[in-house]
Amino acid sequence: MYTSLKGKHLLDTQDWSVQDIEQLLKVAFRFKEERELGIYHDEVLRAKTFFMLFFEESTRTRNAFEAGIHQLGGHAHFLTPKATQIDHGETEKDTIKVLERYGEGIGIRKTFGTGHAYMREIAKWSRIPVINMQCEDYHPTQVLADLMTIKDRFQNNLKGKKIVVSWTSAPNYIRPLSMPQSLIQLMPRFGMDVTLAHPPEFSLKSGIMETARKNAELAGSKFEVVESMEEACKGADVVYAKGWGPIMHTEDEEDGVRIIDSYRENGNMDWVVDKRKMDIANPESIYMHCMPYDRDIEVTSEVVDGPRSVVFDEAGNRLHIMKAIMAATMANL
Ligand code: CP
């Protein structure tokens, strides 16, 4: 299979054309189908190395990349700032100019502060593809697996399908804006109508909102913002709800957590995905979440364990997308 993606960085899905993404999905679907048939692909990245630099923890992203490159015949190195000289101040340029001599690709997760700028700086100096494993603004490998999951469910026919991207009141800490921002940017490009729902304190970055609106306009799809999960769910085909922080409203973490918690006071269910909300969505609608979710806080167990939930297929598709990304950017596919 031929693709034109060799050597390409993946920092934001906006950097890839719709044609690039369709090529990638074709490879991912093929890997998925052939794995189910017991066909091996261990020649594709034979003796190649993918570096995984994690500034934060991960279950899905790390293990999908690591299992994925093993299945393709290569090897992954798990790196952290502490396990390298990054914690001692080694620069982006010095780090990548060394690693590019040892391996063929690198993924980076840095979800707070200046993660995206850090990746762009690495990419500026890198001769090997740089993959964003999540930054403060974007989570491209997740949102591409989400697109794969939705295409699979709706037989590739996304025109006019409604996706709700909703805030939920997730406890304990401030989650980044990367998931809602990635979803509202990508899905309109593939014909989906996007309804973003959040309370007033949880707005997203204005530049990314503008990109989402332009993407919708160019593709002839719709983009709207409402302040009620229930209103958003009416007639939805996909309900994708997760927590994020009031990052555009306050920089104070304690204040942020207090605002998040205030939307759950006195058993308030307005921002929880429950059966009542799924019942006002379309009968064939699906529930999605990138995981990890807070059970019975963001979503009821009845919904997440119920027949409309596709969360495990969605997480499973991370493997096929990661393999497709590495194969297409690091090999001569
Ligand atoms: N969805 C996701 O990125 O999961 P991890 O944080 O476990 O990698």
Side-chain angles (χ1 to χ4, degrees), residues 163-182:
I163 180 170
V164 172
V165 178
S166 177
W167 181 83
T168 61
S169 175
N172 300 329
Y173 67 98
I174 305 285
R175 279 96 174 146
L177 307 179
S178 50
M179 271 319 299
Q181 293 190 156
S182 297

Side-chain angles (χ1 to χ4, degrees), residues 184 205-217 223:
I184 64 164
K205 290 193 175 169
S206 57
I208 290 171
M209 291 288 287
E210 194 47 39
T211 304
R213 279 198 189 94
K214 275 195 191 135
N215 286 351
E217 206 176 297
F223 178 63

Side-chain angles (χ1 to χ4, degrees), residues 54 57-62 109 133-134 139 141-142 179 290-292 318:
F54 279 97
E57 59 285 344
S58 163
T59 297
R60 282 142 289 270
T61 308
R62 174 183 176 177
R109 168 171 287 192
M133 298 199 299
Q134 192 178 11
H139 197 353
T141 66
Q142 176 68 53
M179 271 319 299
C290 56
M291 298 179 81
R318 298 292 300 283

Side-chain angles (χ1 to χ4, degrees), residues 14-74:
Q14 280 298 120
D15 299 339
W16 285 32
S17 67
V18 167
Q19 290 74 17
D20 290 339
I21 293 169
E22 293 285 12
Q23 283 184 57
L24 182 84
L25 290 170
K26 214 165 153 182
V27 178
F29 275 114
R30 183 161 165 186
F31 279 148
K32 181 173 181 171
E33 194 179 309
E34 292 189 352
R35 180 169 158 79
E36 281 162 11
L37 293 171
I39 297 170
Y40 292 96
H41 303 103
D42 49 3
E43 294 293 316
V44 175
L45 291 178
R46 191 174 173 189
K48 298 205 175 187
T49 297
F50 184 70
F51 299 104
M52 305 181 300
L53 174 56
F54 279 97
F55 285 73
E56 292 97 18
E57 59 285 344
S58 163
T59 297
R60 282 142 289 270
T61 308
R62 174 183 176 177
N63 288 292
F65 268 118
E66 201 161 330
I69 196 158
H70 169 71
Q71 291 168 21
L72 296 173

Side-chain angles (χ1 to χ4, degrees), residues 184-242:
I184 64 164
Q185 277 199 159
L186 183 68
M187 296 309 171
R189 298 174 73 196
F190 289 83
M192 295 195 85
D193 295 337
V194 174
T195 299
L196 174 68
H198 61 75
E201 300 91 340
F202 295 86
S203 54
L204 304 179
K205 290 193 175 169
S206 57
I208 290 171
M209 291 288 287
E210 194 47 39
T211 304
R213 279 198 189 94
K214 275 195 191 135
N215 286 351
E217 206 176 297
L218 280 172
S221 42
K222 294 181 196 147
F223 178 63
E224 63 170 356
V225 186
V226 299
E227 287 190 4
S228 154
M229 186 192 278
E230 182 164 334
E231 183 189 338
C233 284
K234 282 179 199 148
D237 297 290
V238 178
V239 176
Y240 200 127
K242 77 168 301 293

